[in-house]
Amino acid sequence: EFDTEDWIELYNNSNENIEISNWKFKDSNNDNTYQFPAGLILNAGEYLVISKDTLKFKSFYPGLQNVTGGFDFSMSNGGELLRLYNSDDIIVDSLTYDDASPWPTAPDGSGSTLALLNPSLDNSLAENWSASNPYGTPGEINDVFTSADNEKLIAAEFELFQNYPNPFNPATIIKYSIPKDSRVRLLLYNVLGEQVDLLVEKEQRAGFYQVNFNAESLSSGVYFYMLQAGDHFKTRKMIILK
């Protein structure tokens, strides 16, 4: 009886207003694309709902103002890839959710909404999500929000994750975590061991980070990205296909 059709919610977890004009929301199929309208700004600390059927959604949430849509595709209840691109077609965020463990199993097409525990957590990790009670809380803080579980906000170990997508053209996301405040460097090398780019060089607090990397100026081939934080080093391989 409570069928809003599919929707997702974006939250601006920063201190700055962000213009999201002509950004794109996609699932795993590139043909399934919703483009945000021109002039759209997501203010600091503000929520935005992207709804498949805005009329149906607003019939259940008539007082909610920050709603856009609709998109003409559905999100699978069996799990799939969701992606967010900016107006330059550079990927800003992505995740692949599921309806099987370790993901919460209650959000499965006709039950709860899948809700992030805290906007500071890595949304690509299943353990950072929970089932809402019962339909989600669009336009306001998630009902599953927790600030007491602070250890989840602090990286337990030094880690450099595999970039996604990989192979890619021209943009990809690199995520990493550092367990303590460190001087961080993220470097890119070609197969000859020559440094071709410096992506990060700064002091950073303990936590999780991501870098949106655009390789438009580089040629196709195999590259290696290396993370250095204090005495820790880790390297992974990426492939650019053009």
Side-chain angles (χ1 to χ4, degrees), residues 116-134:
L116 194 62
L117 292 170
N118 189 300
S120 297
L121 295 173
D122 185 346
N123 65 8
S124 67
L125 302 179
E127 61 265 29
N128 294 334
W129 293 83
S130 182
S132 66
N133 184 24

Side-chain angles (χ1 to χ4, degrees), residues 187-205:
L187 305 103
L188 186 67
Y189 296 90
N190 60 22
V191 290
L192 301 177
E194 301 168 329
Q195 181 180 327
V196 295
D197 208 343
L198 177 62
L199 307 181
V200 176
E201 186 173 29
K202 63 175 68 174
E203 294 284 340
Q204 291 186 319
R205 303 290 299 272

Side-chain angles (χ1 to χ4, degrees), residues 1-117:
E1 293 81 16
F2 201 94
D3 184 11
T4 61
E5 289 286 359
D6 289 344
W7 58 275
I8 65 166
E9 181 180 65
L10 303 183
Y11 174 64
N12 182 354
N13 189 32
S14 76
N15 296 319
E16 298 181 0
N17 299 340
I18 301 175
E19 183 176 358
I20 55 176
S21 300
N22 302 318
W23 283 31
K24 298 180 182 71
F25 165 59
K26 303 182 180 184
D27 64 6
S28 54
N29 184 343
N30 278 327
D31 293 332
N32 293 340
T33 300
Y34 170 70
Q35 183 167 308
F36 297 3
L40 189 58
I41 295 176
L42 187 58
N43 294 324
E46 190 173 68
Y47 302 86
L48 174 68
V49 169
I50 301 98
S51 169
K52 178 181 178 181
D53 186 328
T54 56
L55 290 177
K56 184 177 274 192
F57 181 87
K58 287 182 176 180
S59 71
F60 292 98
Y61 297 101
L64 197 60
Q65 299 299 316
N66 237 17
V67 180
T68 188
F71 51 89
D72 58 358
F73 54 93
S74 296
M75 291 179 278
S76 170
N77 65 334
E80 65 174 329
L81 169 68
L82 300 178
R83 296 172 290 170
L84 184 66
Y85 290 81
N86 67 17
S87 56
D88 294 321
D89 282 328
I90 298 173
I91 194 163
V92 174
D93 198 6
S94 68
L95 65 92
T96 301
Y97 69 90
D98 206 345
D99 66 341
S101 181
W103 286 83
T105 57
D108 195 22
S110 59
S112 306
T113 296
L114 193 61
L116 194 62
L117 292 170

